Amino acid sequence: MSINIHAESPSTSGAGEHDGDDEELYVHIGNLGDYKDEVTPLLSPKHVPLVLGKITKEAAIATHSALHGGMSEEKEQQIREIYDRLDIDNDGTIDIRDLTLALKHETPHIPSNLAPVIMSKMSPDDEGRVDFYSFSSYVLENEQKLAEMFADMDRNHDGLVDVVEMKNYCKDIGVPLDDQKAQHIVNKMDQTGSASVGLKEFQDFMLLYPSSDMKDIVDFWRHNLIIDIGEGSQIPEDFSQQEMQEGVWWRHLVAGGLAGAVSRTCTAPFDRIKVYLQVNSSKINRLGVLSCLKLLHAEGGLKSFWRGNGINVIKIAPESAIKFMCYDQLKRLIQKKKGSQEITTFERLCAGSAAGAISQSAIYPMEVMKTRLALRKTGQMDRGIIHFAQKMYAKEGIRCFYKGYLPNLIGIIPYAGIDLAIYETLKRSYVRYYETNSSEPGVLALLACGTCSSTCGQLASYPFALVRTKLQAKTRTRYTSQPDTMFGQFKYILQHEGVPGLYRGITPNFLKVMTHLFRSF
């Protein structure tokens, strides 16, 4: 039996007509209430189908389309395609799980943590699910609002918004952008390679964003679209003067600090295994990841894998604050020298790297403490971190808190440069050869580019990180006869273990980096 939905009056066609073996049931809009008891909504987590019995998903959607009245077939088809992409489990409705997954895979430029807000916009009755009628209403209303915003940006009324129009509009509403930022935003939306954005491109890109306030949208662009994974770790976020006055900057720092604390806590076991292998593994005393796991668990139990994580989390706040303040001051200095010219990406990268070096210098004693605490044995910190630091100072003096500082500082340069350069090169190559109709690769391509660039950056900088850790841990290892300088350590390792000795512990380090990358996406 098949079902046909007709938006006609009951008099034009008899309900229940059938011919031969192919029985057809005609359900009229006017009589749809007779079937309400035969529709089962999605109420259980087991994904019971939306429609059972006489009304299928297709029939329900056709009915919802008819209720909209004047919507053209072409428009209905466009909305239906979007609806089907969001209805991940294909049960006829969109729930919070569908929307969260769809945001991650279909629209990665809109954070998936906005799913509850978007859901409340689509389903104002707070039913927890969105049918085709509610979704169509949301799309039509949102597209109208976006069309009005687009008209405000399109100053010359040619149907396109270019970089100049984007920059001027943002300046007028009090959220100024420089040329490079405006260009990056336009490139994100541009799907034809025209270096400008049409109305449909703008609507498609921003359709699911829950706010209709243009200032809020521009703020979203600035803080979510501009900095890619390749430079995000080296360049702190930019804030306008108004945002500085309103306190937006410190809210971003707090949010980033909390996210960093959770991230570091989740990856702390990888970090401790890496440090232990860097210091204790050698050509004679071979240790692998599994043997190290067993050894650490036998010595201190499960909680021992988080040794040193406390101070690693504590140093997030001062490190982020110092880096941000230094970056802001360095930017002002560069801007003062350049006058009215915009700061380039390379200059921002230099300012970010210098700010990172300053912040690292300020909190470096905590880095040494983290390494020492990660290598300590059970019962060696019974009287707390402060007493542990006092013992270090009494035994080794103030210089012990800056052991390994030089390789740590030098290691920043190859990682920052290689990571960013390879990421940008791979991304451009991918767009040139595989994404000819799009200005930006998909999320999987970006993840692959980020993974490859990060791997190359790690390979270049890891030997410096290994030497730094060895120097930091010098008095907590049985290899006290080893050199206590950076060049001496490099020479000693190459003579006794060869090049592989410079990469001891890199496996758990890669696992930690991959975890951070997947969390970003």
Side-chain angles (χ1 to χ4, degrees), residues 124-162:
D125 296 333
D126 198 25
E127 294 180 355
R129 58 187 177 84
V130 179
D131 57 29
F132 188 73
Y133 178 78
S134 299
F135 182 73
S136 300
S137 300
Y138 170 83
V139 170
L140 294 172
E141 182 183 348
N142 229 28
E143 283 187 339
Q144 181 59 38
K145 291 177 180 177
L146 291 169
E148 293 170 3
M149 295 177 194
F150 186 85
D152 290 338
M153 286 190 288
D154 184 16
R155 301 294 173 86
N156 60 4
H157 308 293
D158 64 348
L160 296 170
V161 173
D162 58 21

mmCIF file of all heavy atoms in Angstrom, residues 124-162:
data_model
loop_
_atom_site.group_PDB
_atom_site.id
_atom_site.type_symbol
_atom_site.label_atom_id
_atom_site.label_comp_id
_atom_site.label_asym_id
_atom_site.label_seq_id
_atom_site.Cartn_x
_atom_site.Cartn_y
_atom_site.Cartn_z
ATOM 1 N N PRO A 124 11.012 26.444 18.910
ATOM 2 C CA PRO A 124 10.741 27.354 20.031
ATOM 3 C C PRO A 124 9.863 26.752 21.119
ATOM 4 O O PRO A 124 9.854 27.211 22.248
ATOM 5 C CB PRO A 124 10.037 28.542 19.351
ATOM 6 C CG PRO A 124 9.552 28.024 18.049
ATOM 7 C CD PRO A 124 10.488 26.950 17.633
ATOM 8 N N ASP A 125 9.112 25.692 20.775
ATOM 9 C CA ASP A 125 8.248 25.041 21.764
ATOM 10 C C ASP A 125 9.005 24.094 22.669
ATOM 11 O O ASP A 125 8.419 23.459 23.553
ATOM 12 C CB ASP A 125 7.124 24.264 21.061
ATOM 13 C CG ASP A 125 6.206 25.194 20.281
ATOM 14 O OD1 ASP A 125 6.100 26.364 20.675
ATOM 15 O OD2 ASP A 125 5.627 24.745 19.282
ATOM 16 N N ASP A 126 10.318 23.967 22.429
ATOM 17 C CA ASP A 126 11.195 23.122 23.254
ATOM 18 C C ASP A 126 10.720 21.676 23.281
ATOM 19 O O ASP A 126 10.671 21.032 24.311
ATOM 20 C CB ASP A 126 11.269 23.682 24.685
ATOM 21 C CG ASP A 126 12.471 23.125 25.444
ATOM 22 O OD1 ASP A 126 13.440 22.728 24.778
ATOM 23 O OD2 ASP A 126 12.411 23.079 26.683
ATOM 24 N N GLU A 127 10.395 21.153 22.076
ATOM 25 C CA GLU A 127 9.941 19.755 21.986
ATOM 26 C C GLU A 127 11.111 18.779 21.896
ATOM 27 O O GLU A 127 10.920 17.573 22.008
ATOM 28 C CB GLU A 127 9.044 19.589 20.755
ATOM 29 C CG GLU A 127 7.732 20.367 20.848
ATOM 30 C CD GLU A 127 6.876 20.183 19.604
ATOM 31 O OE1 GLU A 127 7.364 19.530 18.658
ATOM 32 O OE2 GLU A 127 5.745 20.683 19.582
ATOM 33 N N GLY A 128 12.303 19.290 21.655
ATOM 34 C CA GLY A 128 13.464 18.405 21.574
ATOM 35 C C GLY A 128 13.658 17.788 20.212
ATOM 36 O O GLY A 128 14.562 16.982 20.009
ATOM 37 N N ARG A 129 12.801 18.122 19.249
ATOM 38 C CA ARG A 129 12.933 17.604 17.888
ATOM 39 C C ARG A 129 12.322 18.617 16.929
ATOM 40 O O ARG A 129 11.446 19.399 17.300
ATOM 41 C CB ARG A 129 12.249 16.242 17.743
ATOM 42 C CG ARG A 129 10.774 16.260 18.090
ATOM 43 C CD ARG A 129 10.178 14.858 18.106
ATOM 44 N NE ARG A 129 8.778 14.889 18.520
ATOM 45 C CZ ARG A 129 7.754 15.130 17.720
ATOM 46 N NH1 ARG A 129 7.975 15.365 16.438
ATOM 47 N NH2 ARG A 129 6.520 15.136 18.168
ATOM 48 N N VAL A 130 12.810 18.601 15.704
ATOM 49 C CA VAL A 130 12.360 19.555 14.694
ATOM 50 C C VAL A 130 11.834 18.783 13.492
ATOM 51 O O VAL A 130 12.560 17.972 12.907
ATOM 52 C CB VAL A 130 13.529 20.478 14.256
ATOM 53 C CG1 VAL A 130 13.072 21.451 13.183
ATOM 54 C CG2 VAL A 130 14.103 21.210 15.450
ATOM 55 N N ASP A 131 10.579 19.042 13.102
ATOM 56 C CA ASP A 131 10.041 18.406 11.897
ATOM 57 C C ASP A 131 10.298 19.306 10.693
ATOM 58 O O ASP A 131 10.832 20.402 10.808
ATOM 59 C CB ASP A 131 8.548 18.095 12.057
ATOM 60 C CG ASP A 131 7.717 19.340 12.377
ATOM 61 O OD1 ASP A 131 8.120 20.449 11.951
ATOM 62 O OD2 ASP A 131 6.672 19.207 13.038
ATOM 63 N N PHE A 132 9.885 18.833 9.527
ATOM 64 C CA PHE A 132 10.190 19.558 8.293
ATOM 65 C C PHE A 132 9.498 20.922 8.251
ATOM 66 O O PHE A 132 10.057 21.888 7.736
ATOM 67 C CB PHE A 132 9.770 18.723 7.078
ATOM 68 C CG PHE A 132 10.211 19.317 5.772
ATOM 69 C CD1 PHE A 132 11.546 19.279 5.383
ATOM 70 C CD2 PHE A 132 9.292 19.933 4.926
ATOM 71 C CE1 PHE A 132 11.950 19.843 4.177
ATOM 72 C CE2 PHE A 132 9.690 20.496 3.726
ATOM 73 C CZ PHE A 132 11.023 20.446 3.345
ATOM 74 N N TYR A 133 8.299 21.012 8.784
ATOM 75 C CA TYR A 133 7.578 22.287 8.779
ATOM 76 C C TYR A 133 8.331 23.331 9.615
ATOM 77 O O TYR A 133 8.547 24.457 9.176
ATOM 78 C CB TYR A 133 6.164 22.103 9.324
ATOM 79 C CG TYR A 133 5.380 23.399 9.399
ATOM 80 C CD1 TYR A 133 4.818 23.959 8.260
ATOM 81 C CD2 TYR A 133 5.243 24.077 10.609
ATOM 82 C CE1 TYR A 133 4.130 25.161 8.320
ATOM 83 C CE2 TYR A 133 4.557 25.278 10.681
ATOM 84 C CZ TYR A 133 3.994 25.817 9.531
ATOM 85 O OH TYR A 133 3.327 27.014 9.590
ATOM 86 N N SER A 134 8.737 22.948 10.838
ATOM 87 C CA SER A 134 9.465 23.880 11.715
ATOM 88 C C SER A 134 10.801 24.276 11.095
ATOM 89 O O SER A 134 11.207 25.440 11.149
ATOM 90 C CB SER A 134 9.696 23.246 13.091
ATOM 91 O OG SER A 134 8.485 22.947 13.720
ATOM 92 N N PHE A 135 11.487 23.289 10.485
ATOM 93 C CA PHE A 135 12.779 23.580 9.866
ATOM 94 C C PHE A 135 12.618 24.519 8.678
ATOM 95 O O PHE A 135 13.396 25.461 8.510
ATOM 96 C CB PHE A 135 13.456 22.278 9.428
ATOM 97 C CG PHE A 135 14.810 22.489 8.816
ATOM 98 C CD1 PHE A 135 15.896 22.830 9.608
ATOM 99 C CD2 PHE A 135 14.990 22.363 7.450
ATOM 100 C CE1 PHE A 135 17.143 23.043 9.043
ATOM 101 C CE2 PHE A 135 16.235 22.561 6.885
ATOM 102 C CZ PHE A 135 17.313 22.911 7.677
ATOM 103 N N SER A 136 11.591 24.285 7.850
ATOM 104 C CA SER A 136 11.348 25.153 6.696
ATOM 105 C C SER A 136 11.053 26.580 7.148
ATOM 106 O O SER A 136 11.540 27.548 6.547
ATOM 107 C CB SER A 136 10.177 24.612 5.863
ATOM 108 O OG SER A 136 10.444 23.323 5.387
ATOM 109 N N SER A 137 10.263 26.710 8.206
ATOM 110 C CA SER A 137 9.944 28.042 8.736
ATOM 111 C C SER A 137 11.217 28.748 9.194
ATOM 112 O O SER A 137 11.423 29.936 8.936
ATOM 113 C CB SER A 137 8.963 27.923 9.901
ATOM 114 O OG SER A 137 7.759 27.310 9.498
ATOM 115 N N TYR A 138 12.084 27.995 9.878
ATOM 116 C CA TYR A 138 13.355 28.552 10.359
ATOM 117 C C TYR A 138 14.218 29.010 9.188
ATOM 118 O O TYR A 138 14.782 30.113 9.208
ATOM 119 C CB TYR A 138 14.100 27.501 11.188
ATOM 120 C CG TYR A 138 15.519 27.877 11.532
ATOM 121 C CD1 TYR A 138 15.808 28.696 12.618
ATOM 122 C CD2 TYR A 138 16.587 27.417 10.747
ATOM 123 C CE1 TYR A 138 17.127 29.045 12.919
ATOM 124 C CE2 TYR A 138 17.896 27.761 11.046
ATOM 125 C CZ TYR A 138 18.154 28.574 12.137
ATOM 126 O OH TYR A 138 19.453 28.930 12.425
ATOM 127 N N VAL A 139 14.325 28.166 8.155
ATOM 128 C CA VAL A 139 15.168 28.484 7.002
ATOM 129 C C VAL A 139 14.658 29.727 6.283
ATOM 130 O O VAL A 139 15.430 30.651 5.979
ATOM 131 C CB VAL A 139 15.236 27.290 6.029
ATOM 132 C CG1 VAL A 139 15.898 27.701 4.712
ATOM 133 C CG2 VAL A 139 16.013 26.136 6.651
ATOM 134 N N LEU A 140 13.348 29.772 6.004
ATOM 135 C CA LEU A 140 12.779 30.902 5.277
ATOM 136 C C LEU A 140 12.949 32.209 6.049
ATOM 137 O O LEU A 140 13.301 33.251 5.482
ATOM 138 C CB LEU A 140 11.302 30.643 4.983
ATOM 139 C CG LEU A 140 11.007 29.474 4.015
ATOM 140 C CD1 LEU A 140 9.519 29.185 3.966
ATOM 141 C CD2 LEU A 140 11.536 29.787 2.619
ATOM 142 N N GLU A 141 12.726 32.153 7.347
ATOM 143 C CA GLU A 141 12.865 33.352 8.181
ATOM 144 C C GLU A 141 14.322 33.791 8.266
ATOM 145 O O GLU A 141 14.642 34.980 8.141
ATOM 146 C CB GLU A 141 12.317 33.071 9.584
ATOM 147 C CG GLU A 141 12.371 34.275 10.513
ATOM 148 C CD GLU A 141 11.880 33.956 11.914
ATOM 149 O OE1 GLU A 141 11.277 32.873 12.114
ATOM 150 O OE2 GLU A 141 12.115 34.776 12.815
ATOM 151 N N ASN A 142 15.225 32.827 8.451
ATOM 152 C CA ASN A 142 16.650 33.156 8.579
ATOM 153 C C ASN A 142 17.218 33.684 7.262
ATOM 154 O O ASN A 142 18.043 34.592 7.259
ATOM 155 C CB ASN A 142 17.429 31.919 9.027
ATOM 156 C CG ASN A 142 18.344 32.224 10.199
ATOM 157 O OD1 ASN A 142 18.069 33.121 10.994
ATOM 158 N ND2 ASN A 142 19.431 31.493 10.313
ATOM 159 N N GLU A 143 16.801 33.090 6.154
ATOM 160 C CA GLU A 143 17.283 33.554 4.855
ATOM 161 C C GLU A 143 16.860 35.005 4.594
ATOM 162 O O GLU A 143 17.611 35.778 4.002
ATOM 163 C CB GLU A 143 16.771 32.639 3.744
ATOM 164 C CG GLU A 143 17.524 31.328 3.643
ATOM 165 C CD GLU A 143 17.125 30.515 2.442
ATOM 166 O OE1 GLU A 143 16.020 30.733 1.901
ATOM 167 O OE2 GLU A 143 17.915 29.641 2.036
ATOM 168 N N GLN A 144 15.655 35.360 5.038
ATOM 169 C CA GLN A 144 15.183 36.727 4.864
ATOM 170 C C GLN A 144 16.049 37.710 5.673
ATOM 171 O O GLN A 144 16.444 38.766 5.176
ATOM 172 C CB GLN A 144 13.717 36.838 5.303
ATOM 173 C CG GLN A 144 13.098 38.221 5.153
ATOM 174 C CD GLN A 144 13.133 38.734 3.724
ATOM 175 O OE1 GLN A 144 12.938 37.965 2.783
ATOM 176 N NE2 GLN A 144 13.405 40.022 3.552
ATOM 177 N N LYS A 145 16.365 37.336 6.904
ATOM 178 C CA LYS A 145 17.216 38.185 7.740
ATOM 179 C C LYS A 145 18.612 38.319 7.145
ATOM 180 O O LYS A 145 19.198 39.409 7.121
ATOM 181 C CB LYS A 145 17.309 37.614 9.159
ATOM 182 C CG LYS A 145 16.011 37.695 9.945
ATOM 183 C CD LYS A 145 16.181 37.052 11.309
ATOM 184 C CE LYS A 145 14.889 37.107 12.121
ATOM 185 N NZ LYS A 145 15.027 36.424 13.422
ATOM 186 N N LEU A 146 19.148 37.195 6.639
ATOM 187 C CA LEU A 146 20.480 37.228 6.041
ATOM 188 C C LEU A 146 20.495 38.054 4.761
ATOM 189 O O LEU A 146 21.488 38.721 4.457
ATOM 190 C CB LEU A 146 20.962 35.795 5.759
ATOM 191 C CG LEU A 146 21.284 34.942 6.995
ATOM 192 C CD1 LEU A 146 21.491 33.484 6.608
ATOM 193 C CD2 LEU A 146 22.527 35.468 7.715
ATOM 194 N N ALA A 147 19.393 38.024 4.012
ATOM 195 C CA ALA A 147 19.291 38.834 2.795
ATOM 196 C C ALA A 147 19.341 40.328 3.136
ATOM 197 O O ALA A 147 19.961 41.126 2.419
ATOM 198 C CB ALA A 147 18.006 38.499 2.051
ATOM 199 N N GLU A 148 18.697 40.705 4.243
ATOM 200 C CA GLU A 148 18.726 42.111 4.677
ATOM 201 C C GLU A 148 20.133 42.522 5.107
ATOM 202 O O GLU A 148 20.595 43.631 4.809
ATOM 203 C CB GLU A 148 17.725 42.310 5.819
ATOM 204 C CG GLU A 148 16.261 42.146 5.394
ATOM 205 C CD GLU A 148 15.310 42.115 6.574
ATOM 206 O OE1 GLU A 148 15.785 42.284 7.728
ATOM 207 O OE2 GLU A 148 14.102 41.898 6.367
ATOM 208 N N MET A 149 20.824 41.628 5.834
ATOM 209 C CA MET A 149 22.205 41.920 6.228
ATOM 210 C C MET A 149 23.105 42.059 4.996
ATOM 211 O O MET A 149 23.950 42.955 4.923
ATOM 212 C CB MET A 149 22.757 40.788 7.110
ATOM 213 C CG MET A 149 22.079 40.635 8.439
ATOM 214 S SD MET A 149 22.783 39.222 9.325
ATOM 215 C CE MET A 149 21.563 38.999 10.617
ATOM 216 N N PHE A 150 22.923 41.149 4.047
ATOM 217 C CA PHE A 150 23.735 41.174 2.829
ATOM 218 C C PHE A 150 23.522 42.482 2.071
ATOM 219 O O PHE A 150 24.490 43.076 1.563
ATOM 220 C CB PHE A 150 23.381 39.977 1.940
ATOM 221 C CG PHE A 150 24.251 39.838 0.731
ATOM 222 C CD1 PHE A 150 25.460 39.174 0.812
ATOM 223 C CD2 PHE A 150 23.864 40.385 -0.492
ATOM 224 C CE1 PHE A 150 26.280 39.051 -0.307
ATOM 225 C CE2 PHE A 150 24.679 40.267 -1.611
ATOM 226 C CZ PHE A 150 25.890 39.596 -1.512
ATOM 227 N N ALA A 151 22.264 42.944 2.004
ATOM 228 C CA ALA A 151 21.961 44.199 1.311
ATOM 229 C C ALA A 151 22.682 45.376 1.977
ATOM 230 O O ALA A 151 23.131 46.303 1.300
ATOM 231 C CB ALA A 151 20.449 44.429 1.292
ATOM 232 N N ASP A 152 22.800 45.344 3.318
ATOM 233 C CA ASP A 152 23.517 46.414 4.031
ATOM 234 C C ASP A 152 25.011 46.397 3.706
ATOM 235 O O ASP A 152 25.651 47.459 3.631
ATOM 236 C CB ASP A 152 23.325 46.259 5.546
ATOM 237 C CG ASP A 152 21.910 46.578 5.977
ATOM 238 O OD1 ASP A 152 21.214 47.296 5.232
ATOM 239 O OD2 ASP A 152 21.492 46.118 7.059
ATOM 240 N N MET A 153 25.576 45.202 3.528
ATOM 241 C CA MET A 153 27.007 45.099 3.216
ATOM 242 C C MET A 153 27.308 45.451 1.764
ATOM 243 O O MET A 153 28.364 45.995 1.462
ATOM 244 C CB MET A 153 27.501 43.672 3.512
ATOM 245 C CG MET A 153 27.647 43.358 4.989
ATOM 246 S SD MET A 153 28.505 41.789 5.277
ATOM 247 C CE MET A 153 27.245 40.630 4.764
ATOM 248 N N ASP A 154 26.365 45.121 0.872
ATOM 249 C CA ASP A 154 26.564 45.341 -0.568
ATOM 250 C C ASP A 154 26.338 46.816 -0.896
ATOM 251 O O ASP A 154 25.276 47.216 -1.392
ATOM 252 C CB ASP A 154 25.605 44.437 -1.354
ATOM 253 C CG ASP A 154 25.815 44.537 -2.853
ATOM 254 O OD1 ASP A 154 26.871 45.056 -3.266
ATOM 255 O OD2 ASP A 154 24.921 44.106 -3.602
ATOM 256 N N ARG A 155 27.347 47.640 -0.641
ATOM 257 C CA ARG A 155 27.205 49.095 -0.772
ATOM 258 C C ARG A 155 26.985 49.548 -2.225
ATOM 259 O O ARG A 155 26.293 50.528 -2.472
ATOM 260 C CB ARG A 155 28.444 49.791 -0.200
ATOM 261 C CG ARG A 155 28.704 49.491 1.277
ATOM 262 C CD ARG A 155 27.603 50.070 2.158
ATOM 263 N NE ARG A 155 27.721 49.678 3.547
ATOM 264 C CZ ARG A 155 28.472 50.304 4.455
ATOM 265 N NH1 ARG A 155 29.205 51.358 4.098
ATOM 266 N NH2 ARG A 155 28.500 49.892 5.704
ATOM 267 N N ASN A 156 27.592 48.843 -3.194
ATOM 268 C CA ASN A 156 27.433 49.277 -4.588
ATOM 269 C C ASN A 156 26.303 48.539 -5.318
ATOM 270 O O ASN A 156 26.108 48.700 -6.524
ATOM 271 C CB ASN A 156 28.750 49.107 -5.358
ATOM 272 C CG ASN A 156 29.212 47.654 -5.381
ATOM 273 O OD1 ASN A 156 28.526 46.758 -4.888
ATOM 274 N ND2 ASN A 156 30.377 47.418 -5.958
ATOM 275 N N HIS A 157 25.564 47.704 -4.590
ATOM 276 C CA HIS A 157 24.358 47.024 -5.104
ATOM 277 C C HIS A 157 24.623 46.218 -6.380
ATOM 278 O O HIS A 157 23.792 46.179 -7.282
ATOM 279 C CB HIS A 157 23.240 48.047 -5.368
ATOM 280 C CG HIS A 157 22.950 48.933 -4.197
ATOM 281 N ND1 HIS A 157 22.404 48.447 -3.027
ATOM 282 C CD2 HIS A 157 23.143 50.276 -4.019
ATOM 283 C CE1 HIS A 157 22.266 49.453 -2.160
ATOM 284 N NE2 HIS A 157 22.707 50.572 -2.733
ATOM 285 N N ASP A 158 25.787 45.552 -6.417
ATOM 286 C CA ASP A 158 26.074 44.714 -7.586
ATOM 287 C C ASP A 158 25.810 43.237 -7.314
ATOM 288 O O ASP A 158 26.118 42.379 -8.137
ATOM 289 C CB ASP A 158 27.526 44.907 -8.030
ATOM 290 C CG ASP A 158 28.531 44.434 -6.985
ATOM 291 O OD1 ASP A 158 28.115 44.177 -5.826
ATOM 292 O OD2 ASP A 158 29.739 44.336 -7.300
ATOM 293 N N GLY A 159 25.247 42.928 -6.144
ATOM 294 C CA GLY A 159 24.922 41.544 -5.809
ATOM 295 C C GLY A 159 26.090 40.755 -5.263
ATOM 296 O O GLY A 159 25.977 39.547 -5.035
ATOM 297 N N LEU A 160 27.229 41.418 -5.018
ATOM 298 C CA LEU A 160 28.421 40.758 -4.485
ATOM 299 C C LEU A 160 29.026 41.609 -3.373
ATOM 300 O O LEU A 160 28.959 42.842 -3.422
ATOM 301 C CB LEU A 160 29.468 40.547 -5.577
ATOM 302 C CG LEU A 160 29.098 39.610 -6.735
ATOM 303 C CD1 LEU A 160 30.148 39.708 -7.831
ATOM 304 C CD2 LEU A 160 28.953 38.172 -6.260
ATOM 305 N N VAL A 161 29.618 40.960 -2.387
ATOM 306 C CA VAL A 161 30.341 41.658 -1.324
ATOM 307 C C VAL A 161 31.811 41.291 -1.443
ATOM 308 O O VAL A 161 32.179 40.106 -1.344
ATOM 309 C CB VAL A 161 29.806 41.269 0.068
ATOM 310 C CG1 VAL A 161 30.677 41.858 1.159
ATOM 311 C CG2 VAL A 161 28.368 41.731 0.241
ATOM 312 N N ASP A 162 32.658 42.298 -1.684
ATOM 313 C CA ASP A 162 34.088 42.028 -1.796
ATOM 314 C C ASP A 162 34.797 42.412 -0.493
ATOM 315 O O ASP A 162 34.156 42.791 0.490
ATOM 316 C CB ASP A 162 34.690 42.765 -2.998
ATOM 317 C CG ASP A 162 34.480 44.281 -2.933
ATOM 318 O OD1 ASP A 162 34.244 44.804 -1.823
ATOM 319 O OD2 ASP A 162 34.551 44.932 -3.985
#
